[in-house]
Amino acid sequence: MEMEGSNAGVVTELLSGAGSGAITKLNDATSTSTRGERGLERFDDFTIASSWERFISEIEAICRQWLADGPNILTQKGAESVPSFDNLYVVKRELKHGKRVYCMEYHFMKSAKGKHSYWDDDTHSMQLSFGVYEFLIIAPLSASGVVLDDPESTKLLSSVAIALSNCGRFEADRIGSQVPIRLMHLEGLHELFLSKFVLSSTDFPARVKVIFSMKLTYRTPEYDYYNEETLVSEANESIAESEVANHPKKQWDDDCSWAEWYSAEDPVKGFELTAIWGERVFEETLEMAEVENASSFDADRWLLHPIVSPYMVDDSIGKFVGFASQLQLLVKAFESSAEAQFLEDFVADTSGQENSKSTVTVPPPSVVDRVMKDLFNDEVGNSNYVEAENKYGRAMKGAPSDSLFAQFCLHALWFGNCHIRAIAVLWIDFVREIRWCWEESERLPRMKSTSSIDLCTCLIHQKLHMLAICIERKKSLSREKGTDHAHEDGISNSVAQNKTRKGSAGVVPSMMLLNTFQEMHAPYTQDALLMTEDMHEERLHAAEAFGNAVGLSGQLERDVLSSDMSAFKAANPDAVFEDFIRWHSPGDWVSEDGAEGSSGWPPKGRLSQRMSEHGNMWRKIWNDAPALPVSEQKFLLDPIREGEKVIHYLETLRPQQLLEQMVCTAFKSSADILNRTTYGGFKLMKTKMDQLYATLASTLKSLQGKSDISDLSDDLKRLCQVFEHIEKLLILAASVHRKLIDAPRLSQAIFADYYNYYLPKMGTSLESVCYEKEFTAKEKVGMHERDAVSNLFPPPTANQSWRKVLSMGNLLNGHEPIQREIVFSVIERISNGHYSSPTPLSTDEQIETHRMYISGTSNDLWVALSVTSWD
C-alpha cells in the first residue's frame, strides 16, 4: 500500500472485499477456523514480544471485538453518527505506542446500501474512492492529527496491515499527480487502469471486460443580463461612451415588483448539473473515445442542484437588506416616537446636547425635493391605486399600497435610515406640499376624489381622501361662482311658472304620479355624507354626553332629507308628498289593493300612521324644500371648512400617532408589493404569503387598540423576523421560477427542497439558531425537462471569457464539466480467478478484484486504486 505524502492517518478497509459476500466469507473464516492450525495460532506468548508487536496485537484485539459486536450492538454501545451522513456511524478507541497516543476510528454502516449506490451524495469520500462500505482510520491523537513523517506513516500502515491479516487482506493505492495530456481523456485513463494489473500479454486475455461508470458535474456560467441587451449592438459596432452612461447595467430583478425600492442579490447564483452514466462493460480502449464524444443527453440520470447565495443559508437575522430590514428600522423609530409631543421637536437643532438625534444624518434638501417630486408627480393619476385582493388587508388598518400615504411610508423606509428625525423632516415637507395643493386647488395625486371614504383604512388615508374630495368640490364652487347671481334671479322668476323636468336619473318602473298619472322619475341625489372615522366617533361621543343622539344629529338628517326632496321635486314637477314617500320610504305607504294599476286609478292606499301625524317633520320639510336638481344645490359637506380641518389634523399630528399608522401601512404595502411577484404559483409559497397576511393582521391589530409602545415592541420585532424569512423565500421562488420557466414541475420541486431545508430556521425566536449550514439537495430532471435545463448553459459568446482550448470531452453546449468522476472495476470469481486461493474453495462467488476511482478536471487529477486478493 502506498500513501501520498504525510497524510492525516492510515486509511484501509477493516473487512476483506468490497461487498457483503466478502464479509460473509470473512466471518466464516473467523468463527470456524477453516485453517487447521488456526487454533494453535490463537496462543500468543507476549513475554518476549516487542512494543510494536504488542501495539499490533492491541489493534487486532480491538478490531476483533468490533467485528464480533456488529453494527447493531456497536450502535447500542454509543457509536456516533457521522455528521452529514444518514447511514454512517463511527466508534473510536485510543491506543498508546511509545510516547505517542493514537486514535483508531472504525466507520461502518448500520444498514447496507443498495447496489451501485456509490454516486449517492450520502457516500463518504473513502467509500467512493476505494469502493468499501466500512473503513478504518488511525492517526496521532494531537491537535492537528497529522502523521509527522514517512517512517511513522509506514509504521502505522504496517501495524494495521499485520493486525488485519487474520481478518482478511486488503490493498489500496492512492495516487496524486500532475495531469499528463493522455490522462485528460478517457482512453488514457482506461489504459492507466489496465496498467495496474496487466503486467504482460499473458496475464489476461486480449480483451479485458472492464466495468465503467461515470459522473459529470457541470456548472452554469454567470449570467450576463447586460450582455443580453447589448449583444446585437456589439456585433455591429461598439457602443459610444456617452451611450453606455445612458444604459445602466441591467439587474436580474429589474422587472420584479420590489425593484422600484431596492435591488435584491440574486439568491440563485447558478446551477450544478450532474449527469450519471450507469455501469457499462467495455473491452477495448477505443470504446472510451466514443463515450467521451457522446452527448450528455445520453446519460442515464440528470440531477440539478441550485447554487444558493450564502445570505440565503446564513440563519443570522438582519444581514439581508430588503423590506424586512427597513421595517425593523421603522419599528425602532416607532419606539422613539414617544420622546416628543411634536414632530418639530425631532427636527429642532440639538447641537450641544447629548442626544442621539443630533448625530443622525438627514439627507440633504435635494433628496427631500426628489422624494416630493416623485410623490406629487403630475403624471400620476388620482385614481390609479389598486387595493390588494386579500381577505386580511382590511383588518390591518393601513392605506392602499399605491395610495399617497402608502407611497410616503415606502419612501420613508429608505430615507435617512428610517430614523425618527429623518421621518419628521420628510413628513413636514410632505404636509407642506399637501397644503399647497389645497390652497391652489390642485388635485392630490394617487388619491380618489369620488366615492365614499373607506373606514377600514388608516385615519391619515381617510383624511387625505376627504381632502381630495374637498379640493374637487372647492374647484366646482369656484367655477359656479360666476353664475350664482343669474341662477338665483332665474329661480325667483320661474319657480311658479316653469315646471320643466330637471335632474332625472330615469323612469321608476311601474310607478306613476298620483295626481297626474305621469311616469315617476328617480332624481340624481347628492352622495352619501362623507365622514372619517374620527368624525363618526365625535358624533357618537357627543350623543352619549347629551343623551340624545337623534336630537343632536337631527339637523344633519334634515339637510339630507331636504336635499333629496328638492331633487325629487325637480325631477317630478307635478309630484305630491305621497309620491315622494312611495319612492323614498315605501314602508310608510300602506297599499289597500293589489298591484298598482290593477284596480283603476288612483291606487288605493294611504300614508302610515307615522307620516299621517299632525305636525309631521317630513311634510314640513317637503313644504319648505324648493325644486332644485342636485347640480344646483349647495353641497351638504362644506368643502372649505372640512378641508381646513384636514390640514390642521395633518399639521398637528403627534409623532406616535403618525408612526403607528406608518407601521401598519408600511407592513401592509410591503407585503402587497411582494405579493405581486410572479413566482409560478408555487403552492408552498402561496401558503406562506397567506400566513404572512394573517400574522400581520393579528399583530398590527394591537396597534389599533392604543397599546403601550413597550408592550408592542417585541411583537413587532418578531413580525419583522417573520417578514424577512418569507421575503427571502419569495425572492428565491421568483429567481427559480424565471430560470426554469419552461420546466414548472422541476422549478416547483427545487423550491420545495429549499423550503423544507429552510423551514427549521423560520422560528419566531429573536436569536439566531444554527441548523444545517449547507443546502445540498438535488432534484432529478425528467427526460422532457432536459431541453429546458440545457438552456441554462448558453453557448459561449465572443465577448465572454472562455478557455481557448478545451482539454476534456463530454461538452454540454460547449461547456466542459467542472469535475469528472469515473469508476473502473474488474470482477472475478473466487474459485478460478487470477487471485484465487491455492486451497480449493467451494464457491463461485464473484469479488471486485480491481477498482479505480478517478476524480478531476483538465487541471488536476486524483486517483484511488484498490486491489482485493484472497489468500
Side-chain angles (χ1 to χ4, degrees):
M1 288 181 285
E2 178 181 344
M3 300 297 295
E4 177 190 278
S6 296
N7 295 294
V10 178
V11 183
T12 185
E13 189 191 10
L14 178 62
L15 305 180
S16 173
S20 58
I23 295 174
T24 303
K25 188 55 74 172
L26 164 67
N27 291 338
D28 291 343
T30 303
S31 59
T32 60
S33 299
T34 55
R35 296 181 180 180
E37 67 275 16
R38 187 174 292 275
L40 295 175
E41 291 176 351
R42 290 183 179 277
F43 178 77
D44 298 312
D45 184 3
F46 289 103
T47 57
I48 57 174
S50 66
S51 60
W52 184 46
E53 289 173 322
R54 290 191 178 93
F55 181 59
I56 294 172
S57 178
E58 188 176 358
I59 294 175
E60 181 179 345
I62 294 172
C63 292
R64 287 184 179 277
Q65 183 61 53
W66 283 342
L67 280 174
D69 287 344
N72 291 333
I73 295 179
L74 287 176
T75 305
Q76 295 174 6
K77 287 183 175 181
E80 300 175 356
S81 175
V82 179
S84 302
F85 296 94
D86 296 333
N87 189 26
L88 189 63
Y89 296 81
V90 60
V91 289
K92 303 177 182 180
R93 287 286 295 275
E94 294 183 7
L95 307 93
K96 188 174 182 181
H97 176 54
K99 296 181 179 180
R100 298 295 298 271
V101 179
Y102 298 94
C103 178
M104 189 164 65
E105 299 179 358
Y106 168 40
H107 293 71
F108 65 93
M109 299 172 62
K110 192 172 182 181
S111 58
K113 293 172 69 74
K115 188 178 181 182
H116 311 314
S117 58
Y118 41 79
W119 293 133
D120 293 349
D121 291 334
D122 194 36
T123 302
H124 193 280
S125 60
M126 291 293 103
Q127 296 173 315
L128 177 60
S129 299
F130 299 109
V132 298
Y133 293 156
E134 303 161 297
F135 55 92
L136 192 70
I137 296 178
I138 186 169
L141 189 65
S142 63
S144 60
V146 175
V147 179
L148 297 180
D149 50 30
D150 287 341
E152 187 173 12
S153 300
T154 303
K155 179 181 66 177
L156 290 178
L157 185 62
S158 301
S159 301
V160 174
I162 295 172
L164 296 181
S165 61
N166 293 328
C167 305
R169 183 177 176 185
F170 179 82
E171 298 179 6
D173 188 10
R174 182 181 178 187
I175 304 172
S177 66
Q178 298 295 323
V179 185
I181 294 180
R182 73 182 186 90
L183 296 183
M184 293 181 182
H185 300 282
L186 294 181
E187 292 177 85
L189 295 173
H190 181 257
E191 291 175 353
L192 173 66
F193 175 62
L194 293 179
S195 69
K196 292 301 176 179
F197 59 90
V198 181
L199 303 179
S200 68
S201 59
T202 59
D203 285 340
F204 278 85
R207 294 185 176 182
V208 180
K209 292 185 178 181
V210 176
I211 300 174
F212 165 85
S213 180
M214 181 168 65
K215 173 183 174 182
L216 300 178
T217 303
Y218 301 88
R219 179 171 294 172
T220 57
E222 183 176 352
Y223 191 73
D224 190 352
Y225 294 94
Y226 177 69
N227 173 65
E228 184 182 60
E229 293 186 336
T230 61
L231 185 59
V232 177
S233 300
E234 289 181 352
N236 300 323
E237 56 181 330
S238 42
I239 302 176
E241 292 184 9
S242 59
E243 199 172 338
V244 171
N246 296 327
H247 291 80
K249 186 173 181 179
K250 184 179 179 182
Q251 302 297 322
W252 78 274
D253 59 347
D254 275 355
D255 56 348
C256 290
S257 58
W258 61 80
E260 180 184 355
W261 304 102
Y262 69 94
S263 179
E265 177 185 341
D266 193 343
V268 180
K269 295 302 183 182
F271 290 89
E272 284 189 358
L273 172 65
T274 302
I276 297 176
W277 276 259
E279 291 189 348
R280 304 176 186 184
V281 179
F282 296 100
E283 298 184 9
E284 296 182 351
T285 298
L286 292 178
E287 294 176 287
M288 291 290 99
E290 298 179 7
V291 177
E292 186 170 301
N293 294 324
S295 169
S296 299
F297 283 81
D298 296 335
D300 298 319
R301 281 192 297 159
W302 276 20
L303 302 172
L304 194 63
H305 164 69
I307 304 171
V308 179
S309 173
Y311 85 82
M312 294 295 297
V313 178
D314 192 345
D315 59 351
S316 300
I317 300 300
K319 293 184 178 180
F320 167 76
V321 176
F323 283 125
S325 62
Q326 304 310 113
L327 288 169
Q328 270 191 315
L329 297 176
L330 182 62
V331 170
K332 291 182 179 179
F334 172 61
E335 293 173 349
S336 305
S337 63
E339 296 176 4
Q341 292 293 316
F342 303 100
L343 287 163
E344 288 77 6
D345 295 339
F346 291 105
V347 182
D349 184 15
T350 55
S351 56
Q353 301 180 23
E354 294 185 2
N355 192 313
S356 61
K357 296 187 296 241
S358 61
T359 63
V360 177
T361 302
V362 177
S366 60
V367 178
V368 178
D369 292 342
R370 189 164 60 246
V371 173
M372 293 301 124
K373 183 177 179 180
D374 185 61
L375 287 173
F376 293 90
N377 188 351
D378 290 338
E379 297 178 0
V380 178
N382 62 347
S383 60
N384 65 332
Y385 68 80
V386 179
E387 178 68 17
E389 293 293 332
N390 189 283
K391 62 182 178 181
Y392 299 106
R394 300 178 67 80
M396 294 183 216
K397 268 305 210 189
S401 55
D402 286 338
S403 65
L404 184 57
F405 180 61
Q407 291 295 302
F408 168 84
C409 294
L410 291 169
H411 276 90
L413 288 178
W414 307 93
F415 183 81
N417 288 327
C418 201
H419 190 273
I420 183 63
R421 187 181 179 196
I423 292 174
V425 169
L426 197 64
W427 176 256
I428 291 171
D429 269 81
F430 177 73
V431 175
R432 187 180 297 123
E433 291 290 332
I434 295 289
R435 172 171 279 283
W436 182 87
C437 290
W438 164 246
E439 292 176 348
E440 300 297 325
S441 297
E442 291 289 337
R443 64 173 176 80
L444 286 182
R446 309 176 191 271
M447 294 302 303
K448 295 179 180 179
S449 57
T450 58
S451 75
S452 59
I453 295 176
D454 187 357
L455 299 181
C456 290
T457 59
C458 68
L459 185 56
I460 293 178
H461 176 73
Q462 294 177 39
K463 293 292 185 181
L464 291 175
H465 191 177
M466 171 74 81
L467 186 63
I469 295 172
C470 289
I471 290 174
E472 289 302 313
R473 294 191 178 178
K474 180 183 175 184
K475 290 163 66 176
S476 298
L477 288 175
S478 298
R479 287 193 297 264
E480 296 170 1
K481 190 172 292 185
T483 60
D484 281 348
H485 296 293
H487 173 66
E488 292 173 2
D489 293 340
I491 292 178
S492 61
N493 295 329
S494 61
V495 165
Q497 307 163 5
N498 187 7
K499 291 192 175 182
T500 304
R501 191 186 313 277
K502 295 181 180 181
S504 171
V507 175
V508 180
S510 304
M511 292 193 73
M512 312 293 287
L513 297 180
L514 292 176
N515 291 347
T516 62
F517 196 57
Q518 296 175 353
E519 291 180 326
M520 181 183 293
H521 287 249
Y524 287 109
T525 59
Q526 292 201 43
D527 293 334
L529 196 63
L530 298 176
M531 298 180 68
T532 57
E533 183 179 8
D534 61 333
M535 293 169 67
H536 283 283
E537 291 179 356
E538 287 175 6
R539 291 185 64 202
L540 181 59
H541 293 159
E544 292 175 350
F546 285 93
N548 183 1
V550 177
L552 182 73
S553 60
Q555 184 58 49
L556 183 60
E557 276 71 24
R558 282 195 294 271
D559 292 342
V560 173
L561 188 58
S562 176
S563 173
D564 291 346
M565 288 180 174
S566 292
F568 187 82
K569 284 184 175 182
N572 301 279
D574 296 319
V576 294
F577 177 65
E578 286 76 7
D579 290 321
F580 177 78
I581 295 299
R582 290 164 60 218
W583 169 74
H584 191 277
S585 182
D588 286 309
W589 176 259
V590 182
S591 180
E592 297 178 348
D593 55 10
E596 278 196 8
S598 60
S599 302
W601 189 261
K604 296 179 180 180
R606 56 183 174 79
L607 293 173
S608 65
Q609 182 179 354
R610 179 171 76 103
M611 292 297 175
S612 302
E613 293 177 349
H614 180 70
N616 178 266
M617 184 61 67
W618 280 50
R619 185 177 290 276
K620 185 178 184 303
I621 295 173
W622 171 266
N623 294 334
D624 295 337
L628 289 176
V630 67
S631 60
E632 299 177 9
Q633 295 179 16
K634 290 184 178 180
F635 291 121
L636 294 173
L637 175 74
D638 184 346
I640 305 299
R641 182 181 68 246
E642 297 301 331
E644 288 295 341
K645 285 183 178 179
V646 171
I647 296 297
H648 177 74
Y649 169 81
L650 298 176
E651 291 178 337
T652 60
L653 191 62
R654 296 291 180 88
Q656 184 174 341
Q657 294 173 329
L658 171 63
L659 268 296
E660 282 177 359
Q661 298 179 66
M662 285 185 65
V663 167
C664 292
T665 299
F667 269 105
K668 177 183 177 299
S669 298
S670 300
D672 287 345
I673 291 173
L674 293 178
N675 199 34
R676 296 172 191 164
T677 304
T678 301
Y679 54 83
F682 297 163
K683 293 181 180 178
L684 292 172
M685 191 67 250
K686 188 177 185 305
T687 300
K688 271 297 169 188
M689 285 304 300
D690 289 342
Q691 292 176 358
L692 174 62
Y693 275 111
T695 305
L696 288 174
S698 61
T699 304
L700 298 179
K701 187 177 180 180
S702 58
L703 276 177
Q704 304 161 29
K706 307 299 186 294
S707 301
D708 187 77
I709 291 181
S710 59
D711 297 334
L712 299 171
S713 180
D714 287 344
D715 290 341
L716 291 175
K717 289 178 181 177
R718 276 188 286 267
L719 186 60
C720 291
Q721 180 176 338
V722 171
F723 200 103
E724 177 174 325
H725 287 314
I726 296 178
E727 185 175 9
K728 289 166 66 175
L729 273 180
L730 186 130
I731 293 175
L732 181 130
S735 180
V736 171
H737 166 66
R738 63 176 46 211
K739 290 178 174 61
L740 293 170
I741 194 169
D742 294 326
R745 183 213 64 84
L746 181 61
S747 62
Q748 186 153 210
I750 288 176
F751 176 75
D753 290 338
Y754 181 82
Y755 177 89
N756 292 328
Y757 157 81
Y758 194 76
L759 194 60
K761 304 172 184 289
M762 297 182 65
T764 57
S765 172
L766 294 178
E767 297 182 2
S768 174
V769 181
C770 292
Y771 294 94
E772 288 293 332
K773 290 295 184 182
E774 294 185 15
F775 174 63
T776 58
K778 296 180 180 179
E779 193 62 37
K780 185 176 180 181
V781 180
M783 294 298 295
H784 65 286
E785 297 168 328
R786 291 192 177 187
D787 285 334
V789 172
S790 68
N791 291 334
L792 296 172
F793 299 85
T797 56
N799 68 324
Q800 291 176 313
S801 177
W802 294 96
R803 294 167 54 106
K804 298 297 183 181
V805 179
L806 298 176
S807 304
M808 300 172 65
N810 301 112
L811 302 182
L812 177 60
N813 292 346
H815 300 268
E816 64 176 352
I818 61 169
Q819 184 180 26
R820 178 170 60 188
E821 298 173 83
I822 302 169
V823 172
F824 292 116
S825 63
V826 172
I827 294 180
E828 294 239 28
R829 294 184 183 277
I830 295 178
S831 58
N832 58 6
H834 180 75
Y835 287 92
S836 59
S837 170
T839 305
L841 298 174
S842 57
T843 179
D844 286 334
E845 182 182 355
Q846 291 184 332
I847 65 170
E848 193 175 55
T849 58
H850 292 76
R851 182 183 186 277
M852 179 178 283
Y853 168 74
I854 303 169
S855 174
T857 67
S858 57
N859 297 320
D860 57 80
L861 187 68
W862 190 86
V863 179
L865 174 68
S866 58
V867 179
T868 305
S869 62
W870 189 271
D871 298 329

